Amino acid sequence: MSDTPSNSNEKPEREPASASGGDPAPGSSREAAAEQDVQDAVTQSRAVPKRAGVPAHTGVQARAGGAGQPRPAAHRPAPAHTRRRPQEPIPTDWRQWQQPQHDPPAWIGEIGSAEPARISVATLWCVAVTGLLSALLLGDGLGLNLLIVTVPAALAAYFAARDAGRRLRPWTLVWAVGGVALLSVPALRDAGWPTFLAVTSALALGSLALHGCRTWLGVILGPFGLFGSLGTGVFWGLKGVRERAEGSRGRWAPVLRTAAVAAVLLIVFGALFASADAAFADLLGGLTPDVSVADGPWRTLLFVLGLVGALAAAHTAAAPLRWDRITVRPGAARGRVEWALPLIVLNLLFAVFIGVQLTVLFGGYDKVLSETDLTYSEYATQGFWQLLGATLLTLVVIGLARRWAPRDGARDRTLVSAVLGVLCVLTLVVVASALRRMDLYVDAYGLTRLRVSVAAMEVWLGIVIVLIMAAGAFGGRWLPRAVAVSGAAGVLIFGLISPDALVAERNVERYQTSDKIDIDYFQQLSADAVPALDTLPEPLRSCALEGIERELGDSDEPWYATSWGEAKARDILDKRPIDPQWEECSSMNLRNDSGGERDPYDEGRTGDGY
C-alpha cells in the first residue's frame, strides 16, 4: 500500500512493457498516450454524424497533431487569395442543352384515331389489283378505265373499314355513289374541263365517304385528309406484308407458281389462236392493253401511284381523321343595334339597286343606255362580273353575321332571321339580274365555254342561298353536307350536258335565225360538239369540223380509254367525211355582231375571252 495519496479521477498511467519485457524505455509513455488519443478520436468520429462539407478525419488530424503542434503541410489551409470557390455540381441531365420542345396543338390529338389493326389479306389483294390495273389501263387516256380502277380501290377501303369496326352509314353511301357517278363523266364526254372538275369532285366525295364528316370544318377539310394518309398508308401496308410473309412462307410459293404457269399458258395459246384467226386477233387486241417496253417507266409510275392511292384510301377508312371533333367557338355576341344597323343599310342598298334593275328588265333598257352612254354589249357585260362578286361577298357577310349575331332570347332570334332573310331574298334577285344580263349578252354574241361556266356558277350560288334560307327556317345541322351535295350535283350535271355540245347547239340555232356564226371558234371545241355541228350546211359543216377531226386523228384508242362522245364523233365523221376541197375556211366567218356593234371582249368574234 503506498503512502502517496492518489486521486480517484486520474487515470493510472499505462506503462507498456518493452519489447524485451524489462522496464519501459524513456519517452514510451508519451507515445503510448498519443496513440491512445488517436484511437479514441477515431471511435468518436464514427459515432458522430458527418456534417456537410467537413471531412470526418478533421478531428482526428487535430487530435493527432496535438495542442500547439503544427499541422502537416498537406493538411494546412491554403492562403485566402489562392483558395477556389466551391464549384456547383455539374448536372448530369444532357437534355438541358436541347431546345425546348413545344407540345403539339390539342386539336391534333383530338382528330387522330387509334392505330389501325394489321392490314387484312383481302385489302392487300385489292390494293395489288388496283396497282396492276392502273399500270395497264390508265396509260392510254381517261375513260371507262377510271371506273374500272376505282372498283378494287373502293373494295380495299371497304374491307379496311370493316376490319376497323366501322359501319356503313347513309351519308357515306351518298358520298360513295356520288363519286362513282362523277367518274362516269370521263366515260361519256370528251371535253377536258368538265372531266377535270368531275375527277376532282369525285376525289373530294370519296374522301368525305372515308372520313364521315358532317360539320363545316369537316366538309371543307375532309377532302384533304386523304393526302395525309399517303405516307402512313404505305408504311402500314409494308408492315402488314412483312408480318404475313414471315408467317406464311410456305403458302406463297404455290400461289406464285400457279400464277406464273397460268400466265405462260395464256400468252402461248393466245398467240397461237391470234395467228390462226384474224377475227380472234382483233378481238384479243381490243380487249388486252397495248403494252410496250418503251412505256415501262410510265407504266411503273402508274403502278406505284395506284398502290399508294389504294393504300391511302384503305388506311383512311381504317383510321380516319375526325375533323368534326374540333370545336369552333362562336364569336362574341354583338348588341342589337350594333349588329343590325349595318345589315339594314346593306338591305336598303340592295333594294335601290334591284329597283333600277326591274326598270331595265321591264322596258327601260333603251332609256338606261341613252343615259349611261353605254353600248348594248358594254351594258350586258359590265355588270355580270360585279354581280357575281356581290353574290360571293353576300355569302361571306351572311356567315360573319351569323357568327356575331345577338343570341339573347327569342327576340334576338327573330331579328336575326328577319334581317338575314331579307338579305337572302334580295340576293336572289341580284342573281336573277346577273343571269338576265348573261342571257342578253349570249343573244347578241353567242355562247362560249366560259359563259356557260360562269352562268352555272351563278346558278349554284343561288341554290346555296336558298339552302341558307331553308336552314334559317328549319335548322342548319344538315347545311354543310347539303351544300357539298349541291356542288357535286352541279358538277355532274355540268359534265353530262357537255358545255361544248351546248355551245355548238346554241350557236347553230343562232345561225339559223340570224345568219351569224364563228367558224374558227368551233374548231377549238371537243368531239362532243360534232353531232350539233354536223347539222350545218356545207361548206360551213366541213370548215367547222376540220379542227375537231384533226384533233381526233387516225389513231384508234383502246375501248377503255375512249369516251362515248369521242366514239360517236368518229362514227359520224366516218359516215360523212368532211369535204377536203374547203381548205380555206377563214373567209367563211360571218358577221358576229348586233346592229354593227363589236364584241368588246372578243374583238369581233365569239372567242373564249368571255
Side-chain angles (χ1 to χ4, degrees):
M1 190 172 187
S2 173
D3 297 334
T4 305
S6 62
N7 191 354
S8 60
N9 294 330
E10 292 181 0
K11 296 182 178 179
E13 289 187 8
R14 300 178 182 175
E15 296 180 0
S18 63
S20 59
D23 297 334
S28 60
S29 60
R30 183 180 298 175
E31 295 177 358
E35 183 178 356
Q36 184 65 33
D37 290 340
V38 170
Q39 292 179 359
D40 295 341
V42 172
T43 304
Q44 183 180 3
S45 65
R46 291 177 180 176
V48 177
K50 298 180 181 180
R51 290 181 296 172
V54 180
H57 59 273
T58 304
V60 178
Q61 293 174 350
R63 292 177 180 269
Q69 293 186 5
R71 296 182 180 179
H75 299 286
R76 292 177 184 175
H81 66 277
T82 61
R83 295 177 185 174
R84 294 182 181 180
R85 296 181 179 178
Q87 296 182 357
E88 297 181 357
I90 299 177
T92 58
D93 190 359
W94 57 270
R95 290 174 295 181
Q96 66 170 340
W97 289 286
Q98 285 187 327
Q99 293 292 335
Q101 297 181 357
H102 301 285
D103 295 334
W107 62 268
I108 295 181
E110 293 177 358
I111 65 175
S113 299
E115 187 68 21
R118 187 174 62 170
I119 188 170
S120 63
V121 176
T123 304
L124 287 175
W125 277 112
C126 291
V127 169
V129 172
T130 303
L132 182 61
L133 292 178
S134 299
L136 295 177
L137 303 181
L138 295 183
D140 298 312
L142 297 181
L144 190 61
N145 47 10
L146 274 178
L147 279 173
I148 298 175
V149 173
T150 302
V151 172
L155 289 176
Y158 169 75
F159 290 132
R162 186 193 62 183
D163 296 337
R166 299 183 63 187
R167 296 179 299 173
L168 184 63
R169 300 182 180 274
W171 274 105
T172 303
L173 189 61
V174 170
W175 302 131
V177 172
V180 173
L182 285 168
L183 290 181
S184 66
V185 173
L188 297 175
R189 299 302 179 187
D190 182 57
W193 178 239
T195 297
F196 172 77
L197 288 179
V199 173
T200 305
S201 301
L203 287 175
L205 291 189
S207 184
L208 288 177
L210 297 174
H211 287 89
C213 301
R214 63 180 182 275
T215 62
W216 278 114
L217 199 61
V219 170
I220 294 174
L221 299 180
F224 300 98
L226 186 61
F227 298 97
S229 296
L230 293 177
T232 55
V234 171
F235 288 111
W236 178 57
L238 291 177
K239 180 181 178 181
V241 170
R242 183 174 63 253
E243 291 176 355
R244 295 188 179 279
E246 293 176 353
S248 58
R249 295 180 181 273
R251 289 181 294 177
W252 283 100
V255 173
L256 294 177
R257 287 196 299 268
T258 303
V261 171
V264 170
L265 292 176
L266 286 175
I267 293 174
V268 172
F269 283 92
L272 291 175
F273 290 150
S275 61
D277 187 271
F280 181 78
D282 293 338
L283 177 63
L284 189 63
L287 294 177
T288 57
D290 186 12
V291 180
S292 61
V293 179
D295 296 336
W298 172 238
R299 303 282 181 177
T300 303
L301 177 61
L302 291 175
F303 176 77
V304 173
L305 291 177
L307 284 180
V308 173
L311 284 173
H315 185 271
T316 304
L321 296 177
R322 304 294 185 179
W323 299 106
D324 294 337
R325 295 177 180 175
I326 301 178
T327 303
V328 180
R329 297 180 179 178
R334 307 297 180 181
R336 295 176 184 174
V337 177
E338 180 185 2
W339 178 87
L341 184 59
L343 294 177
I344 293 175
V345 173
L346 181 62
N347 286 339
L348 293 176
L349 178 63
F350 269 62
V352 173
F353 175 79
I354 289 170
V356 176
Q357 292 299 297
L358 292 177
T359 303
V360 174
L361 294 177
F362 290 103
Y365 187 77
D366 295 334
K367 181 180 179 180
V368 173
L369 291 182
S370 61
E371 292 179 354
T372 57
D373 294 330
L374 295 176
T375 63
Y376 185 91
S377 61
E378 288 173 346
Y379 185 80
T381 58
Q382 183 187 52
F384 179 81
W385 293 105
Q386 289 84 343
L387 295 181
L388 179 62
T391 306
L392 291 172
L393 286 177
T394 302
L395 293 176
V396 176
V397 169
I398 292 173
L400 295 178
R402 290 290 302 175
R403 178 172 176 80
W404 287 298
R407 299 179 289 271
D408 210 6
R411 296 181 61 184
D412 286 343
R413 289 194 297 268
T414 303
L415 176 65
V416 171
S417 300
V419 174
L420 294 184
V422 171
L423 181 59
C424 289
V425 172
L426 296 177
T427 306
L428 286 178
V429 181
V430 172
V431 170
S433 176
L435 293 175
R436 176 56 179 164
R437 285 174 180 262
M438 175 58 68
D439 187 59
L440 292 174
Y441 191 68
V442 170
D443 287 340
Y445 300 106
L447 194 62
T448 63
R449 292 171 172 172
L450 184 58
R451 293 165 195 171
V452 174
S453 301
V454 293
M457 179 69 177
E458 188 73 24
V459 171
W460 178 68
L461 291 177
I463 294 174
V464 171
I465 293 173
V466 172
L467 292 175
I468 292 174
M469 294 174 63
F474 305 106
R477 294 188 60 185
W478 49 268
L479 183 60
R481 290 180 286 192
V483 171
V485 169
S486 65
V491 172
L492 179 61
I493 296 173
F494 183 75
L496 293 180
I497 64 174
S498 181
D500 287 6
L502 186 62
V503 166
E505 293 174 1
R506 185 69 180 269
N507 285 283
V508 168
E509 293 175 358
R510 181 170 174 268
Y511 166 74
Q512 294 172 353
T513 57
S514 61
D515 291 336
K516 299 171 185 176
I517 197 169
D518 188 351
I519 296 298
D520 290 341
Y521 184 71
F522 290 152
Q523 297 183 9
Q524 306 173 15
L525 300 180
S526 65
D528 298 334
V530 171
L533 298 179
D534 186 57
T535 60
L536 288 171
E538 292 289 359
L540 293 178
R541 174 188 175 274
S542 296
C543 291
L545 294 175
E546 179 188 10
I548 299 177
E549 186 190 41
R550 184 171 57 251
E551 186 69 22
L552 289 176
D554 298 330
S555 61
D556 189 14
E557 295 180 353
W559 60 272
Y560 50 80
T562 303
S563 64
W564 179 78
E566 184 178 352
K568 187 176 181 179
R570 290 181 184 276
D571 184 62
I572 291 175
L573 293 176
D574 289 341
K575 292 180 179 179
R576 295 184 59 195
I578 64 174
D579 193 346
Q581 64 178 343
W582 302 104
E583 298 177 355
E584 187 63 37
C585 295
S586 59
S587 61
M588 300 304 301
N589 278 323
L590 303 181
R591 292 186 64 184
N592 188 40
D593 54 17
S594 176
E597 214 174 278
R598 183 175 64 85
D599 184 345
Y601 284 82
D602 298 327
E603 298 184 356
R605 57 188 299 276
T606 305
D608 205 15
Y610 179 68

